[in-house]
Amino acid sequence: MSDRTKYLLDEKDLPEVWYNIAADFSEPMPPVLHPGTGEPIGPADLAPLFPMALIQQEVSTERYIDIPGEVLSIYRQWRPSPLFRARRLEKALDTPARIYYKYEGVSPAGSHKPNTAVAQAYYNKAEGITKLSTETGAGQWGSALAMACAFFEMECKVFMVRVSYDQKPYRRGLIESYGAKVTASPSEETNAGRAILQHDPDCRGSLGIAISEAVEVAATNEDTKYALGSVLNHVLLHQSVIGEECLKQFELADDYPDIVIGCTGGGSNFAGLAFPFIGRKLRGEQDVRVIAVEPTACPTLTKGPYAYDFGDTAHLTPLVKMHTLGSTFVPPGIHAGGLRYHGMAPLVSYVCEKGLAEATAIHQLEAFAAGIQFARTEGILPAPEANHAVCTAINEALKCKEAGEDKAIVFNLSGHGHFDIQSYMDYLAGKLHDYEYPEHEIAMALAGLPSVAQKANA
Ligand SMILES: *Cc1c(COP(=O)(O)O)cnc(C)c1O
């Protein structure tokens, strides 16, 4: 084991393929269903929304898929990202555990999201698309896609959840600086938005509503396609570069993680780090324990059933089998905006269903407390989303201390919190509080699970 603090790979060691976990499952994933017929959909059904190259990746069972040269050359601006050993945090915790973190905040937009934004813009451009529409919650995805569209000289339209639009003007400013157009969602610009506003003029919005608006714009404009920042198989595929690098960095460290941890909103940064490790486990090469962490206020994996549901509120998307809180669920306004989605990536849901990963939920205040401890020991102020992973890593390291076990723990530090200072100031001023699990609202949202899929859900 090495005594270094930082494990950097050479540019030439940047992985040149993405890893597709579907290749290592012994049975196929449950199919995606047409919302009208309840029958499995084909590539043609997705063609109005996505370029063919991404649809092919969505259904691929190839283990490795080449990363295009143009995408690699953009990745090289900030990749390979560093793997750090959190030595000062270990010391503060007085734990025998070795804590590592993979830092994705080094990308220009400050999170892991450019890993897929750049790839998606590339494939759309290659098929002649000139404009992408999307949604953003906390603003991380909107800024990543806006940057990628600027690189490929494409237009970008971002529906930003109303509550973030009002609370996070700096993220909005970043998106606009990259040249994208931002609209608060729900908006008057789409049927989906108008329908919601008619019913509730003060609606704070949700990712599910913003997705409906962005999908509608793509479906009704020939030159426009839709881009999603998480959840879909091809997004998780692109994020696998994180875990692929991390495997090489653990070789440099002459170590291997006993525990791999990621926070989960739609599941992409978690999958990006964890899937290459789970793949090794599936192939019988090396065992590992994997933990997905979510907020108690939006407990998709820990409280939501594994069932067919829509990805959006207006029910424009196909039905996918996933852990869900119901497509009409509007989560409480916690500050980890990127973790407020009613569903979860089908691949992450499946991996949890099969016992290849476990899920846990933590409260907002303990997450912020962990983020503050991390900032004071390691210097990096994490994104509020990433605090969920930080907190779980600390909890596991403290368990190691109690048990006298010297385990290796790695977590994904999915982004920095430099645009989330207001939430840290609110936390430090004692203005934040924990939300109880909104049982009643979730029950109401779950009562509306699509009936067309009842047979498939049974
Ligand atoms: C978007 C985001 C998340 C949550 O999305 P996943 O798809 O679950 O990764 C987590 N952390 C950061 C920094 C984000 O920007």
Side-chain angles (χ1 to χ4, degrees), residues 111-113 140 230 263-270 338-339 383 385-386 414-415:
S111 77
H112 65 290
K113 294 213 169 71
Q140 299 266 24
S230 186
C263 67
T264 46
S268 74
N269 87 83
F270 163 81
L339 305 184
E385 292 85 357
S414 50

Side-chain angles (χ1 to χ4, degrees), residues 104-105 109-114 136-141 143 171 207 229-231 235-236 239 262-272 293 336-341 344-345 348 382-387 412-417 420:
E104 289 296 307
S111 77
H112 65 290
K113 294 213 169 71
T136 197
Q140 299 266 24
W141 169 242
S143 46
R171 270 282 164 202
L207 269 180
S230 186
V231 179
V235 177
L236 276 52
Q239 294 296 353
C263 67
T264 46
S268 74
N269 87 83
F270 163 81
V293 197
L339 305 184
R340 296 173 68 239
Y341 180 60
M344 184 55 63
V348 171
E385 292 85 357
N387 283 342
N412 200 356
L413 189 57
S414 50
H416 66 63
D420 303 282

Side-chain angles (χ1 to χ4, degrees), residues 48-64:
L49 294 185
F50 302 108
M52 213 28 90
L54 291 177
I55 295 172
Q56 279 160 3
Q57 291 180 357
E58 195 61 23
V59 298
S60 171
T61 52
E62 292 289 312
R63 180 171 292 131
Y64 294 108

Side-chain angles (χ1 to χ4, degrees), residues 238-288:
H238 302 153
Q239 294 296 353
S240 68
V241 66
I242 301 171
E244 294 272 278
E245 285 176 7
C246 199
L247 279 170
K248 294 189 186 192
Q249 285 161 315
F250 269 101
E251 275 176 37
L252 282 184
D254 194 18
D255 204 351
Y256 198 81
D258 298 289
I259 305 175
V260 176
I261 298 168
C263 67
T264 46
S268 74
N269 87 83
F270 163 81
L273 175 67
F275 281 6
F277 288 95
I278 296 178
R280 297 202 65 209
K281 174 170 164 159
L282 282 167
R283 299 191 299 275
E285 290 164 18
Q286 199 145 6
D287 200 16
V288 70

